[in-house]
Amino acid sequence: MIRLYVLAGFACLFIMMHLGGNLNKYINLKYAYLTQSAIVMLIILFLFEFVRLYRKERDERKRNARHDLDVHHEHNEHHEHHDHNHKHEHEHHAHHDHFGHTHEQPIRWKRIVSYSILIFPLLTGFFLPVQTLDSSFVKAKGFSFPNFDASADNPGFHQFLKPDSSVFYGKQGYAKVSRQELQEFLPMKEVGLSDTNYLKGLEAIYNFPDAFIGRKVSFDGFVYAGEQTEAKHYFVFRFGFIHCVADSGVFGMLVDFPSTTSDFHNDEWVRVTGTLSSSFYQPFKQTIPMLKVTEWKTIPKPKDPYVYRA
């Protein structure tokens, strides 16, 4: 019966994510068909389990009914003999239960552990609020990133500042894809990074910075002051998903605001426009792209603050 509840729970949880508009907090929505397929499979398994349990209980009721009739018939014909056998049967069952209890104990504990593992994400999914990532996550993780040039063999180090999808392609395949994506942005007079092309455009800028130096770039994001930036230097970020939350990260670039600009606070949302240049960033011990701002304004936080790899 617990399996039935677990299947129903996961189906309801996925449906709730879809209807509540929270699915984009977990995966790139272009892969939403996977959760839709999971919902269909869970419903099918739920129905299969329900029918199996119904048939099992029905057969058990029939067996119990036949057993009661047989016992009643024997009781009427062989009362004394039945008492003797009943006593012997009772002792036999007691003996069996005594030795069978220790045999079933490990199996029972395995079931408790396995069901607990399944039930825990259901409880957290239903009762804990969905947390939107912000600058506190960046601060908690730290922002020194000594492995900025880590190889694609270890994708966990790539999901900050610079989007990196190379782990999903071979070396030659990624070189071809990155060149193709570069061609999408080269003809643009002004490189405007929108919600739909943010990660793709940012990855092109980091892969081919020389092709964009001196060009006008604009994008939206939240401000992160950091602890190792100069006077009017801030990072402007967006949290993004390449596939799902497992490969999510904080992506953006260093931004140089005019000296007359008032100080920003973490998590303020801004729209910045400026000329792309580069700067040597000491914590990374290397030169990184930097946007020298010519225009900017504060904006409300978007309804969906995340961006996704197209």
Side-chain angles (χ1 to χ4, degrees):
M1 185 62 74
I2 296 178
R3 279 183 289 184
L4 194 67
Y5 294 142
V6 169
L7 290 169
F10 275 108
C12 290
L13 181 61
F14 289 152
I15 292 172
M16 184 182 73
M17 287 179 184
H18 276 275
L19 298 180
N22 289 321
L23 188 64
N24 60 345
K25 306 296 192 302
Y26 300 95
I27 64 170
N28 187 332
L29 286 182
K30 78 175 184 178
Y31 301 108
Y33 68 90
L34 294 174
T35 58
Q36 294 165 355
S37 301
I39 290 171
V40 173
M41 290 300 300
L42 287 166
I43 292 174
I44 292 173
L45 290 173
F46 172 85
L47 294 174
F48 178 82
E49 183 68 11
F50 178 83
V51 171
R52 188 187 70 83
L53 288 175
Y54 173 78
R55 288 178 174 175
K56 182 180 178 182
E57 290 182 4
R58 183 189 62 186
D59 294 342
E60 188 173 346
R61 285 196 300 268
K62 288 181 178 179
R63 283 196 302 269
N64 289 338
R66 286 196 299 267
H67 179 264
D68 290 342
L69 287 173
D70 291 342
V71 169
H72 181 70
H73 181 71
E74 291 179 6
H75 177 76
N76 290 336
E77 293 184 357
H78 308 286
H79 180 71
E80 292 182 0
H81 183 67
H82 172 73
D83 286 344
H84 175 75
N85 287 344
H86 178 71
K87 182 179 178 181
H88 177 73
E89 183 180 348
H90 176 75
E91 291 174 354
H92 173 73
H93 279 299
H95 179 74
H96 179 269
D97 290 343
H98 174 72
F99 289 98
H101 179 72
T102 55
H103 177 72
E104 292 292 330
Q105 197 73 5
I107 297 177
R108 188 177 299 128
W109 275 109
K110 288 179 182 178
R111 287 178 179 173
I112 292 173
V113 171
S114 61
Y115 285 136
S116 298
I117 293 172
L118 291 172
I119 291 171
F120 179 75
L122 288 176
L123 295 176
T124 56
F126 280 116
F127 298 110
L128 293 183
V130 180
Q131 181 66 41
T132 302
L133 299 175
D134 56 20
S135 64
S136 61
F137 177 83
V138 183
K139 188 173 182 180
K141 290 293 184 181
F143 198 66
S144 54
F145 303 122
N147 293 306
F148 187 75
D149 277 335
S151 69
D153 295 332
N154 200 344
F157 290 109
H158 285 284
Q159 305 312 313
F160 63 90
L161 199 63
K162 170 190 174 182
D164 194 308
S165 58
S166 62
V167 69
F168 306 110
Y169 304 92
K171 188 175 182 180
Q172 292 182 346
Y174 181 66
K176 181 180 179 180
V177 169
S178 58
R179 284 285 179 185
Q180 289 175 345
E181 294 182 345
L182 172 64
Q183 298 306 315
E184 296 181 29
F185 297 94
L186 283 180
M188 295 182 180
K189 186 176 180 181
E190 177 181 334
V191 182
L193 302 180
S194 64
D195 288 357
T196 55
N197 70 1
Y198 184 91
L199 292 180
K200 187 186 294 185
L202 203 60
E203 189 167 1
I205 290 173
Y206 275 101
N207 285 338
F208 307 98
D210 293 341
F212 296 94
I213 295 296
R215 300 180 65 179
K216 203 171 185 180
V217 178
S218 63
F219 63 96
D220 300 345
F222 67 88
V223 172
Y224 179 72
E227 299 176 355
Q228 297 167 302
T229 52
E230 298 176 9
K232 294 300 178 181
H233 288 185
Y234 295 89
F235 285 97
V236 178
F237 288 139
R238 296 290 295 267
F239 279 100
F241 293 172
I242 295 178
H243 289 105
C244 64
V245 71
D247 56 30
S248 64
V250 57
F251 307 111
M253 67 175 68
L254 184 63
V255 175
D256 178 22
F257 286 89
S259 58
T260 56
T261 307
S262 302
D263 291 340
F264 290 101
H265 300 290
N266 286 345
D267 297 316
E268 280 190 76
W269 279 80
V270 294
R271 177 168 296 150
V272 293
T273 302
T275 303
L276 192 70
S277 62
S278 59
S279 175
F280 184 81
Y281 189 59
Q282 182 60 37
F284 295 164
K285 294 182 173 55
Q286 65 178 274
T287 300
I288 61 173
M290 181 179 73
L291 188 70
K292 295 184 72 70
V293 170
T294 54
E295 302 173 38
W296 67 271
K297 66 176 182 178
T298 57
I299 60 173
K301 180 180 178 179
K303 183 179 180 181
D304 184 1
Y306 299 153
V307 287
Y308 309 90
R309 192 67 161 82

